[in-house]
Amino acid sequence: MSKIHALLEVQPPQAARLPEPSERERLRKAQGLTQAQVAEALGVTRGAVSAWEAGRYDPRGTVRIQYAELLRLIAERHPAPDKGGTP
């Protein structure tokens, strides 16, 4: 868990923008994390992370900022695949 906690120690961005729910799941899996690991790092339940990834609701407050920053850092390491393909 120390890797996740190290990511969360970064100063939060001004705007806690979250990717679409399906991208949240892709990023978590690309980093090799379980919902339970993300939940533990953020101090929430695994069910909350599941709901965020399903688009049922979004986190609020400090948890939103931490989650957005975690996903942003993971996205830097695991960019979305090019959907358009190369001509």
Side-chain angles (χ1 to χ4, degrees), residues 81-87:
D82 183 17
K83 293 180 182 179
T86 52

Side-chain angles (χ1 to χ4, degrees), residues 4-17:
I4 294 175
H5 286 106
L7 291 174
L8 296 178
E9 290 176 10
V10 175
Q11 290 294 325
Q14 292 295 334
R17 297 190 59 197

Side-chain angles (χ1 to χ4, degrees), residues 20-75:
E20 293 297 317
S22 61
E23 179 65 358
R24 298 170 197 178
E25 180 179 13
R26 184 196 72 79
L27 289 168
R28 175 184 56 78
K29 288 179 177 181
Q31 188 66 28
L33 298 170
T34 66
Q35 289 179 337
Q37 289 172 315
V38 172
E40 183 179 337
L42 296 174
V44 299
T45 66
R46 189 206 58 79
V49 175
S50 176
W52 301 340
E53 290 181 359
R56 289 192 298 272
Y57 69 90
D58 287 336
R60 296 182 184 184
T62 303
V63 172
R64 181 186 179 97
I65 293 167
Q66 291 175 331
Y67 185 49
E69 183 65 6
L70 174 65
L71 294 175
R72 185 189 70 74
L73 292 169
I74 293 171

